[in-house]
Amino acid sequence: MASSAAATAQPLDRTRARRRAAWRRRRLVLLLMAPWLIGFSAFFGYPLVMSVYLSFTHYDLLSSPKWIGTANYRYLFTQDPQVGEAVKNTLWIIAVMVPLQVVFAFGVASMLARARRGVGFFRTIFYLPALAPPVAATLAFVYILNPATGPVNVLLKHLGIDGPLWFQSPSWSKPSLVLLGLWGVGNIMIIFLAAILDVPRHLYESAELDGAGPLQRLRWVTLPTISPVILFSVVIGVIAGLQYFTQAYVAANVASGQASQAGDQTVNNLGYPEDSTLFYPVLLYQHGFRYFNMGYASAMSVMLLVVAFTITVLIIRNSLRWVHYVGSAK
Amino acid sequence: MRRVGIGLLVALVLGAALVAATARNSATAGTSGAKVDNITIWVGWSAAELKAFKGVVAEYDSKHSDVTVKVVGGINDDKITAAIRSGKVPDVVSSFTSANVGSYCNSGAWIDLKPFLSKDKIDVNMFPKTSQYYTQYKGKRCALPLLADVYGFYYNKAMFKAAGLTSPPKTMSQLASYAKKLTKKNSDGSIKVAGYNPFLGFYAGNAPDLSAYAPLFGAKYVDGSGKSVISKDPAWSKMLTWQKSLVDWYGYKKLQKFNAGAADEFSASHAFEIGKLAMMIDGEWRVAFIGREHPSLDYGTAPAPVDDAHPELYGAGYVNGTIIGIPKGVKHKDQAWALVKYLTTDSHALAIFSNGVRNVPTTKASLTSSDIKPDAHFKTFLKIFANSKSTTTPITAAGNAYGSLIQAFAVKWQAGHAGDLAKGLQKLDKQIDAQLKQAQAGGVP
């Protein structure tokens, strides 16, 4: 009897010991993850939840938030006269700048991958603009593209061409920002370069033996192999486009000739010229921090999150058709 | 014996400690009568203007031995709001954005000054009506004016003489005609000297929300019930038509190029200061800038020209200004009020600060103070400020957000992209009303 009781107790003890060990492991994992968990909750989770809550309130930053239901969303979707323009501008910058950046970065990376001499020098030169702070880079571009005194238009004038108004013109302000975006494409370019250099040589050799020319090798070897990097660049580019702010803010203030008053809230140059650089985040900033309409700005930011999430999901789902992962069953 | 010795030693140490503590307490009590409080004031001024303000505060300091005032410059409304939200506030705050007074007063973020004014028997009628208006919201006074910005007319006398013009224009049609006479072009047709640059967005006098022009046409923003009346008041369409006709005379693109080549308005290469602009509407501060940067410039100041149909408006202009108040949660409320009172109501303080920064002093008495340094150019602005027809922009629950809607329409209009003016203004009214309604939802009435 006693021996059978001992036999039952032994597995029980082992189970308990296993559980204790498992709990200790979990505790250790939790402890090691604690800094991240705390950071995530404090700087992402809490602000996210608060933004959703504030989007249903009237909140001027100074008084307590007041619940107003869906009024902010109704104004956003039906009445705000500037939101349509801001969405249009944002979609424009995504539709034009992201593909151009990807193509340009790929093109530069392809050339750099073929370089035989001065590889380090050219890689540095093409990457360097990515290190320039966005504010400084924008200031430089507004100066270079100044329609009256900028070197670009001066040069064009010598060639007998009446240069455009660049940042001063509603038709040219966004293309000017695209030029700035292409100039600073170094980060994407370096990822493309790594991906291109990583394409197995034997694939090219096999393709060549099969009689594939340079374009065919590009289409059937390079692009499929680096497709995960293309997907990454597109997703990151689209999210950056949805959050496009700094360059637009600086360019509008400087080009309008009132940069010295950028911090002066009595002057409103955002969107200059003619709201052509009024991107969604710029309008959001204007409502939240210039007009103290933080409840409405929160509603705008919630919608931005929803749109960013939806677009990302759509791109990733669509990518199943054209992205190939090395070693995957597909 | 040894135990007694130790006991004595302990008693001595304890006694000494007690005496020391008593002495320290009595020392503190002894100086409490002359206790000096440190108070802090946040202001938006920087550089030379901040120096001038510090001079005024230093004078206050020397007269008040019970406080020491620390001045912090370069402050904007974001910082003020953040401080109030955090609860760590300075004792006195000031803002350049009088349009935000609606938020400050209504939320209680800046405390009500009425009890202090009543206690010290200060009548707010000591300030001109316009300044009274932009320092309160719906009767709740949480701010007082601390110098004002007043817009008037500047003209280059040498250029006038060369063109055979003897006096500044008094009407908008005269302004347009003078502008055409004074404009000089380069051989390629580009503008060398602009007689008058009407382009909205070019320097402060052409603020794209049309704030500097509205008083010159007598344009009303809202009716008695707070509804936007921009499409109903003919002054707005008249103003926009006048402005666009002059833009069209120059050519939109040519003006854009001229603007792009002009230096920043707060640099020493300001177009008027270096002779690239013959006439302009600008604030009174330009007098000080010209005095510092181009003292030899031969120029004159006058009230800005007005609508031909309303000559009675001549002499008026656009006014706004710095507001000052006490944030909620302040530690030294009485000392803070004493400083606010001194800065805003003492004629001498206002006059010496006005002399330092050449902004307009904000009490009726200080306008004629003997402390104001005589200056013919600046005197014009004192008169415009005192003019009963001078106005400011409306104080609303949405701050100056309505201005961005006016601006969005006006800049499209001058570019020729706004379509039918009457329909555009009607749409603008609806947009402003919807915006105000949205801003009033919930807390801010």
Side-chain angles (χ1 to χ4, degrees), chain B residues 115-130:
Chain B
F116 297 103
L117 290 162
S118 306
K119 194 182 80 182
D120 288 352
K121 296 185 177 58
I122 293 172
D123 182 0
V124 290
N125 285 319
M126 72 188 300
F127 308 108
K129 288 270 182 238
T130 316

mmCIF file with all atom_site columns, all heavy atoms in Angstrom, chain B residues 115-130:
data_model
loop_
_atom_site.group_PDB
_atom_site.id
_atom_site.type_symbol
_atom_site.label_atom_id
_atom_site.label_alt_id
_atom_site.label_comp_id
_atom_site.label_asym_id
_atom_site.label_entity_id
_atom_site.label_seq_id
_atom_site.pdbx_PDB_ins_code
_atom_site.Cartn_x
_atom_site.Cartn_y
_atom_site.Cartn_z
_atom_site.occupancy
_atom_site.B_iso_or_equiv
_atom_site.pdbx_formal_charge
_atom_site.auth_seq_id
_atom_site.auth_comp_id
_atom_site.auth_asym_id
_atom_site.auth_atom_id
_atom_site.pdbx_PDB_model_num
ATOM 1   N N   . PRO B 1 115 ? -11.141 89.509  -10.564 1.00 0.00 ? 115 PRO B N   1
ATOM 2   C CA  . PRO B 1 115 ? -10.999 89.808  -9.127  1.00 0.00 ? 115 PRO B CA  1
ATOM 3   C C   . PRO B 1 115 ? -9.825  90.734  -8.833  1.00 0.00 ? 115 PRO B C   1
ATOM 4   O O   . PRO B 1 115 ? -9.940  91.632  -7.986  1.00 0.00 ? 115 PRO B O   1
ATOM 5   C CB  . PRO B 1 115 ? -10.768 88.434  -8.499  1.00 0.00 ? 115 PRO B CB  1
ATOM 6   C CG  . PRO B 1 115 ? -11.290 87.447  -9.475  1.00 0.00 ? 115 PRO B CG  1
ATOM 7   C CD  . PRO B 1 115 ? -11.128 88.065  -10.816 1.00 0.00 ? 115 PRO B CD  1
ATOM 8   N N   . PHE B 1 116 ? -8.730  90.548  -9.533  1.00 0.00 ? 116 PHE B N   1
ATOM 9   C CA  . PHE B 1 116 ? -7.558  91.398  -9.313  1.00 0.00 ? 116 PHE B CA  1
ATOM 10  C C   . PHE B 1 116 ? -7.831  92.824  -9.783  1.00 0.00 ? 116 PHE B C   1
ATOM 11  O O   . PHE B 1 116 ? -7.476  93.796  -9.117  1.00 0.00 ? 116 PHE B O   1
ATOM 12  C CB  . PHE B 1 116 ? -6.346  90.853  -10.075 1.00 0.00 ? 116 PHE B CB  1
ATOM 13  C CG  . PHE B 1 116 ? -5.895  89.499  -9.623  1.00 0.00 ? 116 PHE B CG  1
ATOM 14  C CD1 . PHE B 1 116 ? -6.197  88.368  -10.357 1.00 0.00 ? 116 PHE B CD1 1
ATOM 15  C CD2 . PHE B 1 116 ? -5.170  89.345  -8.456  1.00 0.00 ? 116 PHE B CD2 1
ATOM 16  C CE1 . PHE B 1 116 ? -5.784  87.117  -9.957  1.00 0.00 ? 116 PHE B CE1 1
ATOM 17  C CE2 . PHE B 1 116 ? -4.748  88.090  -8.036  1.00 0.00 ? 116 PHE B CE2 1
ATOM 18  C CZ  . PHE B 1 116 ? -5.059  86.972  -8.795  1.00 0.00 ? 116 PHE B CZ  1
ATOM 19  N N   . LEU B 1 117 ? -8.485  92.915  -10.947 1.00 0.00 ? 117 LEU B N   1
ATOM 20  C CA  . LEU B 1 117 ? -8.793  94.242  -11.501 1.00 0.00 ? 117 LEU B CA  1
ATOM 21  C C   . LEU B 1 117 ? -9.733  94.993  -10.567 1.00 0.00 ? 117 LEU B C   1
ATOM 22  O O   . LEU B 1 117 ? -9.558  96.192  -10.308 1.00 0.00 ? 117 LEU B O   1
ATOM 23  C CB  . LEU B 1 117 ? -9.415  94.098  -12.897 1.00 0.00 ? 117 LEU B CB  1
ATOM 24  C CG  . LEU B 1 117 ? -8.489  93.613  -14.010 1.00 0.00 ? 117 LEU B CG  1
ATOM 25  C CD1 . LEU B 1 117 ? -9.282  93.098  -15.203 1.00 0.00 ? 117 LEU B CD1 1
ATOM 26  C CD2 . LEU B 1 117 ? -7.545  94.728  -14.444 1.00 0.00 ? 117 LEU B CD2 1
ATOM 27  N N   . SER B 1 118 ? -10.737 94.265  -10.038 1.00 0.00 ? 118 SER B N   1
ATOM 28  C CA  . SER B 1 118 ? -11.703 94.898  -9.125  1.00 0.00 ? 118 SER B CA  1
ATOM 29  C C   . SER B 1 118 ? -11.007 95.341  -7.847  1.00 0.00 ? 118 SER B C   1
ATOM 30  O O   . SER B 1 118 ? -11.211 96.463  -7.373  1.00 0.00 ? 118 SER B O   1
ATOM 31  C CB  . SER B 1 118 ? -12.821 93.916  -8.761  1.00 0.00 ? 118 SER B CB  1
ATOM 32  O OG  . SER B 1 118 ? -13.399 93.420  -9.914  1.00 0.00 ? 118 SER B OG  1
ATOM 33  N N   . LYS B 1 119 ? -10.173 94.429  -7.302  1.00 0.00 ? 119 LYS B N   1
ATOM 34  C CA  . LYS B 1 119 ? -9.492  94.737  -6.037  1.00 0.00 ? 119 LYS B CA  1
ATOM 35  C C   . LYS B 1 119 ? -8.633  95.993  -6.175  1.00 0.00 ? 119 LYS B C   1
ATOM 36  O O   . LYS B 1 119 ? -8.620  96.846  -5.299  1.00 0.00 ? 119 LYS B O   1
ATOM 37  C CB  . LYS B 1 119 ? -8.610  93.548  -5.633  1.00 0.00 ? 119 LYS B CB  1
ATOM 38  C CG  . LYS B 1 119 ? -8.124  93.578  -4.205  1.00 0.00 ? 119 LYS B CG  1
ATOM 39  C CD  . LYS B 1 119 ? -7.230  92.397  -3.888  1.00 0.00 ? 119 LYS B CD  1
ATOM 40  C CE  . LYS B 1 119 ? -5.826  92.651  -4.398  1.00 0.00 ? 119 LYS B CE  1
ATOM 41  N NZ  . LYS B 1 119 ? -4.892  91.570  -4.203  1.00 0.00 ? 119 LYS B NZ  1
ATOM 42  N N   . ASP B 1 120 ? -7.955  96.126  -7.297  1.00 0.00 ? 120 ASP B N   1
ATOM 43  C CA  . ASP B 1 120 ? -7.070  97.281  -7.505  1.00 0.00 ? 120 ASP B CA  1
ATOM 44  C C   . ASP B 1 120 ? -7.756  98.427  -8.239  1.00 0.00 ? 120 ASP B C   1
ATOM 45  O O   . ASP B 1 120 ? -7.083  99.387  -8.646  1.00 0.00 ? 120 ASP B O   1
ATOM 46  C CB  . ASP B 1 120 ? -5.811  96.847  -8.270  1.00 0.00 ? 120 ASP B CB  1
ATOM 47  C CG  . ASP B 1 120 ? -4.887  96.014  -7.407  1.00 0.00 ? 120 ASP B CG  1
ATOM 48  O OD1 . ASP B 1 120 ? -5.160  95.914  -6.181  1.00 0.00 ? 120 ASP B OD1 1
ATOM 49  O OD2 . ASP B 1 120 ? -3.915  95.451  -7.932  1.00 0.00 ? 120 ASP B OD2 1
ATOM 50  N N   . LYS B 1 121 ? -9.093  98.277  -8.418  1.00 0.00 ? 121 LYS B N   1
ATOM 51  C CA  . LYS B 1 121 ? -9.906  99.334  -9.050  1.00 0.00 ? 121 LYS B CA  1
ATOM 52  C C   . LYS B 1 121 ? -9.321  99.779  -10.398 1.00 0.00 ? 121 LYS B C   1
ATOM 53  O O   . LYS B 1 121 ? -9.159  100.968 -10.678 1.00 0.00 ? 121 LYS B O   1
ATOM 54  C CB  . LYS B 1 121 ? -10.055 100.535 -8.103  1.00 0.00 ? 121 LYS B CB  1
ATOM 55  C CG  . LYS B 1 121 ? -10.812 100.196 -6.828  1.00 0.00 ? 121 LYS B CG  1
ATOM 56  C CD  . LYS B 1 121 ? -11.050 101.427 -5.984  1.00 0.00 ? 121 LYS B CD  1
ATOM 57  C CE  . LYS B 1 121 ? -11.859 101.116 -4.750  1.00 0.00 ? 121 LYS B CE  1
ATOM 58  N NZ  . LYS B 1 121 ? -11.302 100.120 -3.847  1.00 0.00 ? 121 LYS B NZ  1
ATOM 59  N N   . ILE B 1 122 ? -9.020  98.796  -11.210 1.00 0.00 ? 122 ILE B N   1
ATOM 60  C CA  . ILE B 1 122 ? -8.498  99.116  -12.554 1.00 0.00 ? 122 ILE B CA  1
ATOM 61  C C   . ILE B 1 122 ? -9.647  98.991  -13.556 1.00 0.00 ? 122 ILE B C   1
ATOM 62  O O   . ILE B 1 122 ? -10.310 97.960  -13.635 1.00 0.00 ? 122 ILE B O   1
ATOM 63  C CB  . ILE B 1 122 ? -7.341  98.173  -12.937 1.00 0.00 ? 122 ILE B CB  1
ATOM 64  C CG1 . ILE B 1 122 ? -6.150  98.448  -12.037 1.00 0.00 ? 122 ILE B CG1 1
ATOM 65  C CG2 . ILE B 1 122 ? -6.952  98.345  -14.405 1.00 0.00 ? 122 ILE B CG2 1
ATOM 66  C CD1 . ILE B 1 122 ? -5.017  97.476  -12.183 1.00 0.00 ? 122 ILE B CD1 1
ATOM 67  N N   . ASP B 1 123 ? -9.871  100.068 -14.285 1.00 0.00 ? 123 ASP B N   1
ATOM 68  C CA  . ASP B 1 123 ? -10.937 100.088 -15.294 1.00 0.00 ? 123 ASP B CA  1
ATOM 69  C C   . ASP B 1 123 ? -10.326 99.701  -16.641 1.00 0.00 ? 123 ASP B C   1
ATOM 70  O O   . ASP B 1 123 ? -9.385  100.357 -17.104 1.00 0.00 ? 123 ASP B O   1
ATOM 71  C CB  . ASP B 1 123 ? -11.528 101.501 -15.356 1.00 0.00 ? 123 ASP B CB  1
ATOM 72  C CG  . ASP B 1 123 ? -12.673 101.593 -16.348 1.00 0.00 ? 123 ASP B CG  1
ATOM 73  O OD1 . ASP B 1 123 ? -12.997 100.551 -16.982 1.00 0.00 ? 123 ASP B OD1 1
ATOM 74  O OD2 . ASP B 1 123 ? -13.234 102.701 -16.501 1.00 0.00 ? 123 ASP B OD2 1
ATOM 75  N N   . VAL B 1 124 ? -10.864 98.644  -17.266 1.00 0.00 ? 124 VAL B N   1
ATOM 76  C CA  . VAL B 1 124 ? -10.260 98.192  -18.533 1.00 0.00 ? 124 VAL B CA  1
ATOM 77  C C   . VAL B 1 124 ? -10.453 99.195  -19.666 1.00 0.00 ? 124 VAL B C   1
ATOM 78  O O   . VAL B 1 124 ? -9.844  99.064  -20.728 1.00 0.00 ? 124 VAL B O   1
ATOM 79  C CB  . VAL B 1 124 ? -10.785 96.807  -18.980 1.00 0.00 ? 124 VAL B CB  1
ATOM 80  C CG1 . VAL B 1 124 ? -10.270 95.712  -18.083 1.00 0.00 ? 124 VAL B CG1 1
ATOM 81  C CG2 . VAL B 1 124 ? -12.282 96.788  -19.100 1.00 0.00 ? 124 VAL B CG2 1
ATOM 82  N N   . ASN B 1 125 ? -11.275 100.212 -19.417 1.00 0.00 ? 125 ASN B N   1
ATOM 83  C CA  . ASN B 1 125 ? -11.429 101.257 -20.435 1.00 0.00 ? 125 ASN B CA  1
ATOM 84  C C   . ASN B 1 125 ? -10.158 102.088 -20.597 1.00 0.00 ? 125 ASN B C   1
ATOM 85  O O   . ASN B 1 125 ? -10.093 102.966 -21.450 1.00 0.00 ? 125 ASN B O   1
ATOM 86  C CB  . ASN B 1 125 ? -12.613 102.154 -20.115 1.00 0.00 ? 125 ASN B CB  1
ATOM 87  C CG  . ASN B 1 125 ? -13.910 101.440 -20.433 1.00 0.00 ? 125 ASN B CG  1
ATOM 88  O OD1 . ASN B 1 125 ? -14.022 100.749 -21.453 1.00 0.00 ? 125 ASN B OD1 1
ATOM 89  N ND2 . ASN B 1 125 ? -14.886 101.551 -19.545 1.00 0.00 ? 125 ASN B ND2 1
ATOM 90  N N   . MET B 1 126 ? -9.170  101.797 -19.763 1.00 0.00 ? 126 MET B N   1
ATOM 91  C CA  . MET B 1 126 ? -7.888  102.474 -19.952 1.00 0.00 ? 126 MET B CA  1
ATOM 92  C C   . MET B 1 126 ? -7.187  101.968 -21.217 1.00 0.00 ? 126 MET B C   1
ATOM 93  O O   . MET B 1 126 ? -6.248  102.577 -21.713 1.00 0.00 ? 126 MET B O   1
ATOM 94  C CB  . MET B 1 126 ? -6.982  102.277 -18.729 1.00 0.00 ? 126 MET B CB  1
ATOM 95  C CG  . MET B 1 126 ? -6.419  100.873 -18.582 1.00 0.00 ? 126 MET B CG  1
ATOM 96  S SD  . MET B 1 126 ? -5.549  100.607 -17.020 1.00 0.00 ? 126 MET B SD  1
ATOM 97  C CE  . MET B 1 126 ? -4.268  101.814 -17.103 1.00 0.00 ? 126 MET B CE  1
ATOM 98  N N   . PHE B 1 127 ? -7.668  100.797 -21.731 1.00 0.00 ? 127 PHE B N   1
ATOM 99  C CA  . PHE B 1 127 ? -7.133  100.255 -22.983 1.00 0.00 ? 127 PHE B CA  1
ATOM 100 C C   . PHE B 1 127 ? -8.094  100.583 -24.126 1.00 0.00 ? 127 PHE B C   1
ATOM 101 O O   . PHE B 1 127 ? -9.312  100.559 -23.913 1.00 0.00 ? 127 PHE B O   1
ATOM 102 C CB  . PHE B 1 127 ? -6.999  98.725  -22.900 1.00 0.00 ? 127 PHE B CB  1
ATOM 103 C CG  . PHE B 1 127 ? -6.247  98.239  -21.691 1.00 0.00 ? 127 PHE B CG  1
ATOM 104 C CD1 . PHE B 1 127 ? -6.917  97.610  -20.641 1.00 0.00 ? 127 PHE B CD1 1
ATOM 105 C CD2 . PHE B 1 127 ? -4.879  98.416  -21.592 1.00 0.00 ? 127 PHE B CD2 1
ATOM 106 C CE1 . PHE B 1 127 ? -6.232  97.159  -19.526 1.00 0.00 ? 127 PHE B CE1 1
ATOM 107 C CE2 . PHE B 1 127 ? -4.184  97.967  -20.475 1.00 0.00 ? 127 PHE B CE2 1
ATOM 108 C CZ  . PHE B 1 127 ? -4.867  97.343  -19.436 1.00 0.00 ? 127 PHE B CZ  1
ATOM 109 N N   . PRO B 1 128 ? -7.589  100.835 -25.321 1.00 0.00 ? 128 PRO B N   1
ATOM 110 C CA  . PRO B 1 128 ? -8.507  101.044 -26.445 1.00 0.00 ? 128 PRO B CA  1
ATOM 111 C C   . PRO B 1 128 ? -9.379  99.799  -26.668 1.00 0.00 ? 128 PRO B C   1
ATOM 112 O O   . PRO B 1 128 ? -8.988  98.679  -26.305 1.00 0.00 ? 128 PRO B O   1
ATOM 113 C CB  . PRO B 1 128 ? -7.570  101.278 -27.630 1.00 0.00 ? 128 PRO B CB  1
ATOM 114 C CG  . PRO B 1 128 ? -6.312  101.769 -27.026 1.00 0.00 ? 128 PRO B CG  1
ATOM 115 C CD  . PRO B 1 128 ? -6.196  101.066 -25.714 1.00 0.00 ? 128 PRO B CD  1
ATOM 116 N N   . LYS B 1 129 ? -10.547 100.021 -27.278 1.00 0.00 ? 129 LYS B N   1
ATOM 117 C CA  . LYS B 1 129 ? -11.542 98.946  -27.459 1.00 0.00 ? 129 LYS B CA  1
ATOM 118 C C   . LYS B 1 129 ? -10.962 97.689  -28.113 1.00 0.00 ? 129 LYS B C   1
ATOM 119 O O   . LYS B 1 129 ? -11.252 96.569  -27.693 1.00 0.00 ? 129 LYS B O   1
ATOM 120 C CB  . LYS B 1 129 ? -12.705 99.451  -28.313 1.00 0.00 ? 129 LYS B CB  1
ATOM 121 C CG  . LYS B 1 129 ? -13.612 100.443 -27.599 1.00 0.00 ? 129 LYS B CG  1
ATOM 122 C CD  . LYS B 1 129 ? -14.741 99.727  -26.864 1.00 0.00 ? 129 LYS B CD  1
ATOM 123 C CE  . LYS B 1 129 ? -15.669 100.728 -26.190 1.00 0.00 ? 129 LYS B CE  1
ATOM 124 N NZ  . LYS B 1 129 ? -15.763 100.490 -24.737 1.00 0.00 ? 129 LYS B NZ  1
ATOM 125 N N   . THR B 1 130 ? -10.141 97.892  -29.147 1.00 0.00 ? 130 THR B N   1
ATOM 126 C CA  . THR B 1 130 ? -9.606  96.733  -29.877 1.00 0.00 ? 130 THR B CA  1
ATOM 127 C C   . THR B 1 130 ? -8.783  95.841  -28.949 1.00 0.00 ? 130 THR B C   1
ATOM 128 O O   . THR B 1 130 ? -8.909  94.618  -28.972 1.00 0.00 ? 130 THR B O   1
ATOM 129 C CB  . THR B 1 130 ? -8.720  97.210  -31.048 1.00 0.00 ? 130 THR B CB  1
ATOM 130 O OG1 . THR B 1 130 ? -9.382  98.284  -31.694 1.00 0.00 ? 130 THR B OG1 1
ATOM 131 C CG2 . THR B 1 130 ? -8.455  96.125  -32.032 1.00 0.00 ? 130 THR B CG2 1
#
